[in-house]
Amino acid sequence: MERRRDLLAPPAWTNLTLALKFRRMFRVALAAAVAVLMTAQGAWADEGMWPFDEAPLARVHDSLGVTLDSRWLDHVRDASVRLTNGCSASIVSPNGLVLTNQHCIVGCAQAVSPAGSDYVGDGFVAADVTAERTCPGIQAEVLVSIADVTTQIFLAGTGKIGEAFATARQTAIDDAERDACGGDTRFRCQVISFYDGGQFKVYKFRRYADVRLVFSPELSAAFFGGDPDNFNFPRYDLDCAFLRLYEGGKPVATPTFLVWSKTPPAAGEPVFVSGSPGATDRLQTVAQLATMRDVTLPLLAVEQAELRGRLTELAEQSPELRRETAGALFEAENTLKLVQGRLAALRDPAFMAARERDEADLKARLAADAPLAKQVGDPWAEIAATQKTFALQFVVWHALESGAGGGSDLYRYARDLVRAAAERAKPTAMRLPEYADSRLALDEKALFDAKPVQPAVETMQLEFWLTKAREELGVDSPAIAAFLGTESPEALARRLVAGSKLGDPAVRRALWEGGMAAVVASDDPMIQFVLKTDPTSRAARSVWEDDVTGPVQDASERIDRARFNLDSGLYPDATFSLRLSYGKVAGWTYQGQDTAPFTTFAGLFGRATGAPPYQLPARWTGRAQSLDPATVLDFSTTNDITGGNSGSPVVDAQGEIVGAAFDGNIHSIAGDYTYDASLNRTVAVSTVAISEALVKIYGDAALARELAGG
Amino acid sequence: MERRRDLLAPPAWTNLTLALKFRRMFRVALAAAVAVLMTAQGAWADEGMWPFDEAPLARVHDSLGVTLDSRWLDHVRDASVRLTNGCSASIVSPNGLVLTNQHCIVGCAQAVSPAGSDYVGDGFVAADVTAERTCPGIQAEVLVSIADVTTQIFLAGTGKIGEAFATARQTAIDDAERDACGGDTRFRCQVISFYDGGQFKVYKFRRYADVRLVFSPELSAAFFGGDPDNFNFPRYDLDCAFLRLYEGGKPVATPTFLVWSKTPPAAGEPVFVSGSPGATDRLQTVAQLATMRDVTLPLLAVEQAELRGRLTELAEQSPELRRETAGALFEAENTLKLVQGRLAALRDPAFMAARERDEADLKARLAADAPLAKQVGDPWAEIAATQKTFALQFVVWHALESGAGGGSDLYRYARDLVRAAAERAKPTAMRLPEYADSRLALDEKALFDAKPVQPAVETMQLEFWLTKAREELGVDSPAIAAFLGTESPEALARRLVAGSKLGDPAVRRALWEGGMAAVVASDDPMIQFVLKTDPTSRAARSVWEDDVTGPVQDASERIDRARFNLDSGLYPDATFSLRLSYGKVAGWTYQGQDTAPFTTFAGLFGRATGAPPYQLPARWTGRAQSLDPATVLDFSTTNDITGGNSGSPVVDAQGEIVGAAFDGNIHSIAGDYTYDASLNRTVAVSTVAISEALVKIYGDAALARELAGG
């Protein structure tokens, strides 16, 4: 059954460990495509992450008084970009210029900084196109079409069970992807399941494998306020960056782009976010939520906290290590805050009581429909019955498979090489899904792109992973014996990193091309380590998928069947596929305190104490008086977004871009489980602030002109 | 009401931040003296931490078939030692020789290591008495008498309320302490409340302020298996150390001592632990347990995990830093494991359901007794009603008061100097309790004893504390503004540590003796920092005591009144006062797996992989063959102990010492809340293993002779 479960695995981009602010965080379960229940009264105003082919036009009209037409939708879709590192973006000029967040390109800026330079800390302004730098590992994808393939996928499996069913389904998926792309390597075709497997669609993307860094502000301007202000608002971050799409060494012509707004949106103005939210958990049963509250999230909280402590102390050892750890530290702090926020929501008895009421209500309505009730059975009880196994096996799966390597690039290279060598020898439908034919181009890009190795960080990551795995599984576990032998985590990590040559792309390419024979013959210690331990990792994955995610998936599908029949106004849970969210510019009121929806440059300078993370770059303090202090810097909106939406364009009713989403307020973290229109807010940086800063701070008149005149 | 709450504050030893393995961990509430409910059928076999004047002789006889007489009790009491760093110990020779755990003297060994030496890592063997080294800050205390002063303390408060009540009570306590000691500075007299204020007794201790290090094994022998094996059994640790009591520069004659057993105890043999357990939480209501589960323990888990990450990374920077961080890292890992174990117990629905049944049962029996029910009211509801305030204020109190300084010695010196200067100007009954006359001798010792300052660790501790306080209270909180001003935690911590002269005992003594005038005139940055911030810390303490611990205390007293009237077989919760625990040598069975109660040297060598923390010291590997492999190294017993019991003698029915308790098994962590005779085990190192190692490994024939011939 291994293959079938993997259809629901996170997409390949989760293999990348780039640091991303508001990115889909580590997933505790594989449920990646589940439908969401509206209240009986219908969705909250502004709720929902809607596929473009199911855009809720009537709902938008009723809620905002705005009529969107298909031209508007097509235009926004064609200008929306998915980045394979887990972010969103948009095309903002006819010359392939792309806007995203600075926190989405930290890994790129780190990787392309020449020795002695720090494009993360000091920012990066390409003097002209020749100075633009290719980001390793990042592919940009623009959705060009959606086709429903539900019937053919369903038909393929009809009358089959078990392994035969799984293989038939996977073959149908592979066929659908191949048919849609027709072998044209300019495209990537991906079958995405929606509504928990109730619907399958082929998303066809124009892919751009050469994405170059054009502009990034300094970290201290993009992430002003640092971790203390993260997920908070009022906020004062210029969290923007520009990339450019290239092909054949030349900028790509992009006649469809979003017009750059010269005015900020007004309070109450309708705005739309077009991006690729990673995952939401709005369908989880109460039993599953309790497991998250009591098992998975507490484990992740403690782990991320300890990792944060390690990275903080490592960063303080030298400026070089501060730069090298910046991305990982950002990710650890961001994940920790997300996990803590989710735990706070789940530990709120009122929140859980509401979920219990919703569940009881659905069950009662199901019971009233005898034929449907018979068909559905009691999937809630089945899911509840798996929770003990979930709790036991989650730790194993996390330690040996999903968290293996602790973020080490060298480990990731070795595992990809070892696994791909084994998998590529099989027919595509029999492989682990991440090595299916349709994924190989992206796999190769992630493997072959040059990226500097940071030995101190790599060693720490491996050591930390091995230490925690030993702690979580127990020192006497056979799996730990297989990983450590008689070495300590410290010594093993040092030996693997010091001896590995996998930092060299040519070495990786040679092993990839040499297949299993070359891999087995390699004396690289990291390759040998993975060859020795991968059977243990794969075994943990099989148990997890067969005993936990498989049975849960079966039960979840039946809950969804009940919803389909008993509810109206459904939208699918997030699946890192393009979605439209509608809303308006708005602050909020919490515990009697009002928060206004706008901040300005004046507020930024008022908050700057001069001490990090409230210290502005020298470039800013020197030119403060040239900025218009009243310029709107950041703003908050009611749009329903989540991790993966980072960098998404915020578009007005005329289709002009007014900002880029980069965060949510603290209440938005509970949005993983439910949307609360009164509190849940998207946070965006405005186009007017970006323009003002480009001209007055960075003196980048050419870029400003490209945006203005585009 | 400030004073009254403080009667229940932890004793002064919690000011010390020495690293202790199985020590009373950081307390989330101040409830330090509460009675414990037996089941309706009476206490579990072997349950209870019994005051020596309430020793359960009949129960011991019924359970173990052993008759203890008053001579046995007096003898064991007179040979039992309380160490003011939060540990227990025993006198084991007529020349003031004291046995405790190595993990109880890590701080001492660190402090007395000369430059270039590492008595923690390499061990310490005093060649003769002239080589024995005074441990800074540690006082040894031997209980000599117990007197009940309940009546006079109750009478003092009769007819008074509020501040007048508190002052009258405190005056009566001060008087009782003064009367009992009669100004004889060889003694320390301490009023301890039992049964949640239902009983007050004066404990009179012979105090020994000069305690010297005699012998310590290497950390890797004492703590073999390190954090992975911590709280686990089978266990292979020689966790012992010897100290000697001095007076007037000479060893103290101690005619009463425990005879050193030459044979290990047998399986099933009755054994007794005599020591000072720090605190238990066996009376907490279900509402309080839920707050621990959802608020306090999760906060501490994340904090300790991050601290552990910092310390681990700091330790890896140099051998010197590894030595300097050893104690703090040990404490962080130990606390983290305790917190995680407690959370596991509290998150177990079966555990909470049992507590709910117990609570409902007591309420039902109370309701059946109308006059008592009227007197008691509904304290459970009152406690439940305070939990929201508890959750809000705990974070404030923890950030600004109880956790202030993050363990920094320089901060502790400064705060003691600033507070004592203010407090000593008041009559003793009006002071913060930790500066009452009866405490000043110990305060002075903690302040004047020389102890090396470790700037890197100090800076990290302060920075970490300030960073977490900012995170927990929010960057815009006025309290955080008072602490940080416009500085970053990093810069402020560096400035305070770099500029402070408080590491010099002479400077501290001059400020102490100069009183407030000298303190205010000091230009020491740490003193100035505390002068500026202490009002904020004191305010947080007042709110916490007035709004949380005060009301909870009032309600808890009434729950206790109900128990006193409705239950039998009560023993008081632990209060770091001398207790006797009875039990027997036994393994246990969990999930069908039996664990035997003994380990041997053969097992130790079998487990040694050569990689830390399973790497034995060179001294051991070189002399392995000379050891008798069958020697019992560690053993497990059913005794009911907790943090604070570390180093406690394990005594047989004849009054001979057969071991020293140093840990509990993983199930014992839930013993904070309830004792489970089937699983809860004490772990001890045997006297025979200590003797064997002293002779065969350490060649310390003199010490072995002193033990054997005593």
Side-chain angles (χ1 to χ4, degrees), chain A residues 373-391:
Chain A
K374 196 180 165 192
Q375 209 182 21
V376 169
D378 191 351
W380 294 274
E382 292 168 34
I383 288 176
T386 64
Q387 296 307 301
K388 222 170 221 175
T389 310
F390 185 108

Side-chain angles (χ1 to χ4, degrees), chain A residues 227-229 294 298 301-302 305-306 308-310 312-314 316-317 336 340 347 460 463 467-468 470-471 475-476 486-488 490 607 609 611-614, chain B residues 227-229 294 298 301-302 305-306 308-310 312-314 316-317 336 340 347 460 463 467-468 470-471 475-476 486-488 490 607 609 611-614:
Chain A
D227 182 66
D229 278 7
D294 298 339
V302 162
E306 190 174 339
R308 180 198 193 189
R310 287 223 178 195
T312 305
E313 210 56 48
L314 197 59
E316 294 196 0
Q317 290 179 31
L336 181 58
Q340 298 273 67
R347 286 181 183 136
M460 188 280 284
E463 179 195 319
T467 303
K468 295 303 283 186
R470 179 174 68 183
E471 190 177 312
V475 65
D476 296 314
T486 59
E487 286 179 286
S488 68
E490 295 81 353
R607 196 166 176 78
T609 60
Y614 298 97
Chain B
D227 183 65
D229 279 7
D294 297 338
V302 163
E306 190 174 338
R308 180 198 192 190
R310 287 223 178 196
T312 305
E313 210 56 48
L314 197 59
E316 293 195 359
Q317 290 179 32
L336 181 58
Q340 297 274 65
R347 286 183 183 136
M460 188 280 284
E463 180 196 318
T467 303
K468 294 304 283 185
R470 180 174 68 182
E471 190 177 311
V475 66
D476 296 315
T486 60
E487 286 178 286
S488 68
E490 295 81 353
R607 196 165 177 78
T609 60
Y614 299 96

Side-chain angles (χ1 to χ4, degrees), chain B residues 187-206:
Chain B
F187 295 92
R188 172 183 176 191
C189 292
Q190 180 185 19
V191 169
I192 301 178
S193 80
F194 296 87
Y195 300 107
D196 219 357
Q199 195 183 65
F200 290 87
K201 292 189 176 176
V202 173
Y203 272 53
K204 181 174 183 177
F205 299 94
R206 182 69 164 86

Side-chain angles (χ1 to χ4, degrees), chain A residues 202-382:
Chain A
V202 174
Y203 273 52
K204 181 173 183 178
F205 299 94
R206 182 69 163 87
R207 58 187 282 261
Y208 300 96
D210 183 355
V211 178
R212 301 194 186 176
L213 183 61
V214 174
F215 170 85
S216 169
E218 306 86 344
L219 177 65
S220 54
F223 195 43
F224 179 83
D227 182 66
D229 278 7
N230 194 11
F231 287 109
N232 286 324
F233 193 85
R235 191 70 167 283
Y236 306 88
D237 289 3
L238 194 79
D239 193 354
C240 68
F242 290 96
L243 303 168
R244 196 184 300 280
L245 311 179
Y246 276 72
E247 236 166 14
K250 293 210 166 63
V252 170
T254 46
T256 303
F257 62 91
L258 297 176
V259 171
W260 193 258
S261 175
K262 293 178 182 62
T263 52
E269 182 173 336
V271 282
F272 305 86
V273 174
S274 170
S276 298
T280 42
D281 279 324
R282 293 184 184 172
L283 173 80
Q284 301 275 302
T285 68
V286 170
Q288 288 173 301
L289 293 174
T291 301
M292 280 202 253
R293 181 193 63 199
D294 298 339
V295 179
T296 46
L297 292 177
L299 183 140
L300 293 178
V302 162
E303 198 172 278
Q304 291 296 316
E306 190 174 339
L307 179 60
R308 180 198 193 189
R310 287 223 178 195
L311 285 163
T312 305
E313 210 56 48
L314 197 59
E316 294 196 0
Q317 290 179 31
S318 72
E320 183 64 18
L321 278 167
R322 181 170 297 282
R323 189 190 110 185
E324 292 187 358
T325 54
L329 180 56
F330 183 91
E331 174 117 5
E333 292 189 330
N334 191 55
T335 304
L336 181 58
K337 218 160 187 175
L338 272 171
V339 169
Q340 298 273 67
R342 285 172 192 180
L343 279 169
L346 294 172
R347 286 181 183 136
D348 177 357
F351 173 87
M352 286 298 268
R355 308 296 305 186
E356 280 164 17
R357 278 195 306 274
D358 285 351
E359 194 165 296
D361 171 65
L362 180 61
K363 283 184 190 174
R365 287 184 289 134
L366 176 63
D369 180 340
L372 184 62
K374 196 180 165 192
Q375 209 182 21
V376 169
D378 191 351
W380 294 274
E382 292 168 34

